[in-house]
């Protein structure tokens, strides 16, 4: 165990300075099966000790329960943390299992007020559009978000699952500090459009699921067999059936590199994502999610792993061989719009 704090990086040209690795908090109260509140609180505290300052949540995580859970930690450390939350996935009152994408002005204003109340803060540091409603021009959506900045309710703006073209359009309306998209050894489609646009515009990339929702750590091999019934990974095509069997075999190169360094598979996967900052010449701040303090220690230690050119070459082909889509419904991603 080490107490070495991770270095920092700035999100966007005028955005906040944060640790080069953040913490995804969704699983502390949503999506990944049973949780332990005490253990999650200890994880938040340990992350902060190690220099993790960007904490990521969303109003859709547990229908607001994740924001409520995080509120006491944020209040206790308000000057030390950067709070990131999101809007856009509306939950219909008649069907709490559904998510409807909304980017219209009345909804955004309703969402920000609700998040501020649940978080019990005066201002949100980084406010993301969680998903894109293609029926609303993105310049209109960002225009409303910019009004929230002027009104002092939000400090910085972010987008999630957008294309390079959409990012450029948004940036022309108001500076964007960060784009959050899935980016890992299993998911590299953003390198075609949004990564070059982010580099050009000096926008940071905040990769979610940098550990492939835990699959890249080797912690499970088949969601149907290894995970609880309420774990949403059982609904994701990559982690079940024949796809899972095929994808498990892709972990072998990661295991080879891990053994050479004497580290875990997850640390290699995270080191690869962190290395993309140098490859693409832009700020990259991944937000691996965990509910365990020991895992935060492991994850942050990955920022100090240097992969060789030979090792990077060994890992390079993995993404092109992955079986199955990221989601059962890819309409919730930018994939079909790039």
């Amino acid at each position: 165990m080490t107490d070495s704090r991770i270095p920092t990086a700035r999100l966007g040209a005028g955005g906040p300075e944060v640790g080069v690795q953040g913490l995804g908090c969704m699983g502390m109260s949503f999506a990944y099966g049973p949780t332990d509140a005490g253990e999650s609180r200890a994880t938040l505290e340990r992350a902060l000790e190690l220099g993790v300052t960007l904490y990521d949540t969303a109003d859709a995580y547990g229908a607001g329960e994740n924001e409520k859970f995080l509120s006491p930690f944020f209040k206790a450390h308000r000057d030390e943390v950067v709070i990131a939350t999101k809007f856009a996935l509306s939950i219909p009152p008649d069907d709490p299992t559904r998510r409807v994408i909304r980017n219209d002005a009345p909804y955004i204003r309703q969402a920000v007020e609700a998040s501020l109340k649940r978080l019990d803060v005066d201002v949100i540091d980084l406010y993301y559009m969680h998903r894109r409603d293609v029926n609303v021009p993105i310049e209109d959506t960002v225009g409303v978000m910019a009004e929230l900045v002027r009104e002092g309710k939000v400090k910085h703006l972010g987008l999630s699952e957008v294309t390079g073209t959409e990012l450029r359009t948004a940036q022309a309306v108001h500076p964007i500090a960060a784009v959050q998209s899935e980016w890992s050894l299993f998911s590299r489609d953003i390198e075609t459009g949004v990564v070059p646009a982010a580099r050009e515009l000096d926008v940071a990339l905040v990769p979610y699921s940098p550990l492939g929702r835990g699959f890249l750590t080797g912690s499970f091999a088949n969601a149907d067999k290894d995970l609880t019934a309420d774990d949403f990974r059982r609904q994701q095509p990559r982690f079940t059936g024949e796809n899972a069997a095929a994808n498990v075999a892709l972990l072998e190169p990661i295991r080879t590199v891990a053994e050479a360094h004497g580290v875990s598979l997850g640390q290699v996967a995270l080191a690869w994502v962190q290395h993309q900052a140098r490859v693409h010449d832009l700020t990259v701040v991944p937000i691996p999610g965990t509910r365990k303090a020991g895992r935060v220690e492991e994850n942050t230690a990955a920022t100090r792993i240097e992969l060789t050119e030979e090792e990077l070459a060994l890992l390079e082909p993995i993404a092109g061989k992955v079986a199955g889509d990221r989601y059962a419904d890819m309409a919730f991603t930018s994939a079909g719009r790039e």
Side-chain angles (χ1 to χ4, degrees):
M1 187 174 73
T2 177
D3 285 311
S4 297
R5 290 175 63 86
I6 59 176
T8 62
R10 186 166 299 281
L11 299 182
E17 188 167 336
V18 298
V20 294
Q21 188 180 109
L23 182 63
C25 301
M26 178 179 76
M28 292 181 176
S29 56
F30 174 69
Y32 292 138
T35 62
D36 182 316
E39 188 174 46
S40 292
R41 282 191 283 270
T43 300
L44 293 167
E45 296 287 350
R46 184 62 178 140
L48 188 58
E49 290 173 353
L50 293 169
V52 175
T53 55
L54 177 63
Y55 293 83
D56 186 87
T57 182
D59 60 3
Y61 298 163
E65 290 303 313
N66 198 246
E67 290 178 324
K68 291 180 184 178
F69 173 77
L70 294 168
S71 176
F73 171 74
F74 290 154
K75 290 187 71 176
H77 301 285
R78 188 64 189 97
D79 295 335
E80 303 170 82
V81 301
V82 173
I83 302 171
T85 193
K86 315 178 196 73
F87 73 88
L89 295 181
S90 173
I91 304 172
D94 59 339
D95 186 357
T97 65
R98 287 182 61 222
R99 299 290 186 271
V100 177
I101 302 175
R102 288 187 60 181
N103 290 173
D104 56 283
Y107 181 75
I108 296 171
R109 290 196 162 276
Q110 171 191 328
V112 75
E113 295 297 342
S115 285
L116 286 166
K117 183 177 181 179
R118 286 189 294 264
L119 292 165
D120 195 15
V121 296
D122 296 326
V123 61
I124 294 166
D125 300 315
L126 178 57
Y127 200 41
Y128 286 101
M129 179 190 77
H130 204 164
R131 291 294 187 271
R132 168 87 201 283
D133 178 357
V134 295
N135 297 309
V136 179
I138 195 166
E139 53 265 49
D140 292 354
T141 300
V142 177
V144 177
M145 295 170 72
E147 291 174 4
L148 301 181
V149 175
R150 290 192 289 272
E151 293 164 11
K153 296 175 181 178
V154 170
K155 289 184 180 179
H156 306 285
L157 303 185
L159 304 172
S160 180
E161 289 284 352
V162 293
T163 67
T165 299
E166 290 164 349
L167 174 57
R168 288 187 176 91
T169 301
Q171 180 79 359
V173 177
H174 188 279
I176 302 299
V179 169
Q180 186 176 135
S181 289
E182 188 164 355
W183 199 6
S184 73
L185 282 167
F186 265 27
S187 300
R188 298 181 57 181
D189 50 298
I190 68 167
E191 293 173 24
T192 303
V194 75
V195 167
R199 179 177 61 244
E200 171 193 325
L201 300 170
D202 196 7
V203 175
L205 253 294
V206 177
Y208 73 81
S209 297
L211 296 173
R213 303 194 184 277
F215 194 84
L216 289 167
T217 70
S219 61
F220 72 98
N222 186 301
D224 286 333
K225 298 177 181 178
D226 302 336
L227 304 177
T228 57
D230 57 348
D231 194 306
F232 97 117
R233 288 172 289 186
R234 294 179 61 153
Q235 303 168 25
Q236 294 186 293
R238 290 183 171 177
F239 307 138
T240 58
E242 294 181 357
N243 287 344
N247 291 335
V248 163
L250 300 178
L251 301 184
E252 285 310 308
I254 306 173
R255 187 169 285 109
T256 298
V257 176
E259 290 173 353
H261 285 264
V263 299
S264 68
L265 275 72
Q267 286 176 304
V268 171
L270 274 175
W272 181 89
V273 174
Q274 304 274 181
H275 182 75
Q276 300 314 300
R278 278 181 278 174
V279 173
H280 297 281
D281 190 26
L282 80 170
T283 300
V284 177
V285 180
I287 49 169
T290 184
R291 300 175 291 205
K292 298 182 183 298
R295 191 69 75 186
V296 168
E297 293 167 0
E298 179 183 321
N299 290 347
T300 54
T303 63
R304 297 185 288 276
I305 297 172
E306 295 287 341
L307 301 175
T308 68
E309 290 302 319
E310 292 78 10
E311 290 166 342
L312 291 166
L314 187 63
L315 300 172
E316 181 67 22
I318 292 175
K321 299 177 181 178
V322 175
D325 287 331
R326 293 192 282 133
Y327 291 90
D329 182 2
M330 288 295 284
F332 278 81
T333 75
S334 61
R337 303 193 307 273
E338 192 64 71

